Amino acid sequence: MSVISNVIDKVKHIDPEQKEFHQAVIEVLETLEPTVKRHPEFVKAGIYERIVEPERVIMFRVPWVNDNGEVLVNRGFRVQFNNALGPFKGGLRFHPSVNLGIIKFLGFEQIFKNSLTTLPMGGGKGGSDFDPKGKSDGEMMRFCQSFMRELYRHIGPETDVPAGDIGVGGREIGYLFGYYKKIRNEHTGVLTGKGLEYGGSLIRPEATGYGTVYFAQEMLATRGMDFKDKVVAVSGSGNVAQYAIEKVNELGGRVITICDSSATVIDEKGIDNDKCCYIMELKNIRRGRIQEYSEKYQAECFLDKNVWDVIREKGIKVDIALPCATQNEIDGQNAKALIENGCFCVAEGANMPSTPEAVDVYQESSILYGPGKAANAGGVATSGLEMSQNSLKLSWTREEVDHRLLQIMKSIHKSCLDASEAYGKKGNYVTGANIAGFVKVARAMLAYGVV
Ligand code: NDP
């Protein structure tokens, strides 16, 4: 048996219930086979065995009091996966589906994504099974404060720098940072995604969505194409989706889909910038349901269906797909329908939104496929830029940060292509992203000896 299959077997055996983590490990390790032959020093140093084991896993009780005075308890997580390249770095997710396996999958992906950005950041992830839906501002604040009451002792600007993810946006980062500042009596860059008034970076809210579109733009350019007049499907209606839509509009494309966890909306006329502002107000301020969009703009609404089911069932034609909601949202049959209806490019704003069967379909059909760890790395890259500005105690302009983001996305795209070619899989962004991300981390781990 090869080193790779041994490691995969062990991961499955010791944590049998962590399905999403297994999926992420298999996806990465299977593409690393060429590195085993080329780098016997990695095998000798046990790099493959060590990289799948987090440096540290922290699980904790998060008790809080709701508006009715009842005491509730959730579970908090922080997985500090790998700090070979820099302090642990990765978001916090608040969603009822959160468990250790999901946080480990996200933290594992984050190692390679952060490596691809070329910035000095290790990989980590955290969160809670807390459901923000329907909670008042006061409940959110009390929950965030209780979460930070434990997390503060494990993080720091040189140790571990969390950020947002699903369910953790500007409001939550404000509450988390405010409480950290209070109990540590220090105002440091311990979180990213902060408000502009207290150390945040311009373009950070936009960065994941913009970066995903920049990455897609680079892929399209390899085939002499661009976004102009293309029909685009976006899923989700949160942070990543909102700014992906804004950037597609700027580049002349037409976005016709959005969703949330309760419905999908199809708007054939296109979600222009005015409609996008409405979505931002609906989701970020009023915290309403996407169904309201369909009522306001007379667009078709499909309850309890995701974007990809609706596209398949209705035979809707799209040129480009940008999944920006959650993991495993596109399955094999939906991927097949997308491609049969003419889709030639998929760039993942979300983390692992395509099942392994969907990825196989993309690869067999030779469409352009940008996996999340490369395509959505713009968010964490701009978090890295926020950390730099905090350390330098200065702020860069919007244009400067956006320019750096674009350059980073171009450089990630090039690294993926270069690595795919160097390891015999030319044009395969999955292999390219995994190998380019891995080799750098592996070399650093090798340099440290067995620690
Ligand atoms: P948000 O919480 O802002 O938005 C998530 C959106 O996806 C919401 O519209 C939510 O609906 C929807 N959604 C969640 N679960 C489902 C589901 N099962 N079916 C359909 N829709 C669903 O999160 P983000 O936009 O920040 O994150 C989206 C994805 O992007 C995640 O995979 C995240 O890991 C990834 N990502 C985010 C980064 C960032 O900077 N924020 C960086 C890199 C990756 P509802 O409103 O009903 O909850």
Side-chain angles (χ1 to χ4, degrees), residues 93 165-167 204 208 237-240 261 283 289 325 351:
R93 175 176 292 192
D165 190 77
I166 292 178
R204 175 62 190 92
T208 309
S237 49
N239 172 265
V240 182
S261 51
K283 296 308 268 185
R289 309 310 296 152
N351 284 310

Side-chain angles (χ1 to χ4, degrees), residues 84-99:
L85 300 184
F88 303 106
K89 179 92 196 91
L92 299 171
R93 175 176 292 192
F94 291 169
H95 192 271
S97 64
V98 162
N99 58 40

Side-chain angles (χ1 to χ4, degrees), residues 37-195:
K37 289 192 193 72
R38 191 151 328 166
H39 298 283
E41 70 280 16
F42 293 169
V43 178
K44 188 156 177 265
I47 299 290
Y48 300 91
E49 287 85 349
R50 284 196 273 152
I51 206 158
V52 297
E53 194 60 49
E55 180 91 17
R56 187 170 300 107
V57 171
I58 301 141
M59 283 173 62
F60 51 101
R61 180 176 65 209
V62 190
W64 58 285
V65 180
N66 71 10
D67 288 346
N68 298 327
E70 292 159 336
V71 177
L72 299 165
V73 181
N74 286 91
R75 181 169 283 179
F77 302 88
R78 185 70 185 166
V79 173
Q80 299 183 328
F81 222 117
N82 190 301
N83 62 355
L85 300 184
F88 303 106
K89 179 92 196 91
L92 299 171
R93 175 176 292 192
F94 291 169
H95 192 271
S97 64
V98 162
N99 58 40
L100 183 57
I102 288 187
I103 298 297
K104 280 178 68 180
F105 122 61
L106 291 163
F108 185 68
E109 287 279 297
Q110 199 80 45
I111 304 170
F112 310 103
K113 181 189 303 192
N114 293 2
S115 166
L116 282 171
T117 67
T118 72
L119 300 174
M121 300 182 291
K125 200 84 186 186
S128 172
D129 59 359
F130 171 79
D131 187 357
K133 267 196 212 75
K135 302 296 186 296
S136 68
D137 285 350
E139 288 174 325
M140 281 310 303
M141 182 183 75
R142 290 193 293 281
F143 179 81
C144 289
Q145 292 180 342
S146 180
F147 188 85
M148 186 53 86
R149 202 141 52 230
E150 174 60 35
L151 187 70
Y152 85 95
R153 65 185 96 242
H154 308 288
I155 61 176
E158 310 297 336
T159 311
D160 183 353
V161 184
D165 190 77
I166 292 178
V168 179
R171 174 183 61 168
E172 292 72 28
I173 294 290
Y175 292 147
L176 290 162
F177 183 76
Y179 202 70
Y180 179 89
K181 182 181 73 60
K182 170 91 180 164
I183 57 183
R184 289 298 281 254
N185 195 25
E186 55 181 47
H187 196 299
T188 51
V190 69
L191 290 161
T192 57
K194 300 188 290 300

Side-chain angles (χ1 to χ4, degrees), residues 371-408:
K373 71 170 72 62
N376 71 36
V380 74
T382 309
S383 277
L385 300 178
E386 182 174 332
M387 288 162 74
S388 305
Q389 292 170 79
N390 291 165
S391 300
L392 295 166
K393 304 217 182 298
L394 52 77
S395 302
W396 294 328
T397 63
R398 187 179 169 85
E399 290 70 29
E400 185 160 2
V401 181
D402 195 24
H403 177 72
R404 285 177 194 256
L405 169 64
L406 175 61
Q407 295 314 314
I408 289 172

Side-chain angles (χ1 to χ4, degrees), residues 4-22:
I4 299 282
S5 45
N6 273 338
V7 173
I8 292 174
D9 283 353
K10 186 172 168 208
V11 164
K12 286 181 176 170
H13 179 71
I14 57 173
D15 293 307
E17 77 290 2
Q18 294 177 359
K19 302 290 179 221
E20 289 85 359
F21 179 54
H22 302 167

